[in-house]
Amino acid sequence: MRLISNKALRDFARKHSAAHGPLQGWRRIIEQGRFRNFAELKKAFNAVDKAGDYFVFDIAGNHYRLIAAIHFNTQILYVRAVMTHADYNHWRP
């Protein structure tokens, strides 16, 4: 799957250095995988949920949340936001 964009992950990790390793680990799994649907994504990432049109990944033991739009047909994932768990509590899809 193609990730758009790693810059969002790096920018977030500059502010939250503990997030760097877990985010880049998540990125490697996404980029090496081919997921045809939510069920296949859920097999690779047990901590992923659907919120409206977005997919919400728990990162680093639920310390961070990554919000993404995924187009399974084109194998493209767009990072919409990366935030702390506390910030996610105020986010609405």
Side-chain angles (χ1 to χ4, degrees):
M1 182 163 283
R2 183 168 175 220
L3 171 78
I4 312 286
S5 93
N6 190 39
K7 183 180 182 311
L9 307 182
R10 289 190 317 263
D11 289 349
F12 184 80
R14 273 192 210 98
K15 296 176 189 169
H16 305 275
S17 60
H20 176 75
L23 285 171
Q24 292 306 311
W26 173 88
R27 178 190 58 82
R28 282 188 290 280
I29 294 168
I30 286 293
E31 290 180 339
Q32 293 171 1
R34 180 160 178 82
F35 309 101
R36 292 180 295 177
N37 52 46
F38 180 62
E40 289 184 3
L41 188 67
K42 188 80 170 165
K43 285 181 187 176
F45 298 96
N46 190 40
V48 62
D49 292 304
K50 195 144 175 18
D53 292 333
Y54 296 104
F55 296 87
V56 181
F57 294 85
D58 295 341
I59 307 289
N62 207 19
H63 286 95
Y64 310 106
R65 296 286 178 97
L66 187 146
I67 316 302
I70 301 175
H71 299 275
F72 293 104
N73 60 332
T74 58
Q75 290 294 292
I76 297 176
L77 181 149
Y78 296 91
V79 175
R80 294 294 180 212
V82 185
M83 58 189 71
T84 65
H85 183 77
D87 290 338
Y88 176 78
N89 289 334
H90 303 289
W91 180 79
R92 298 288 175 245

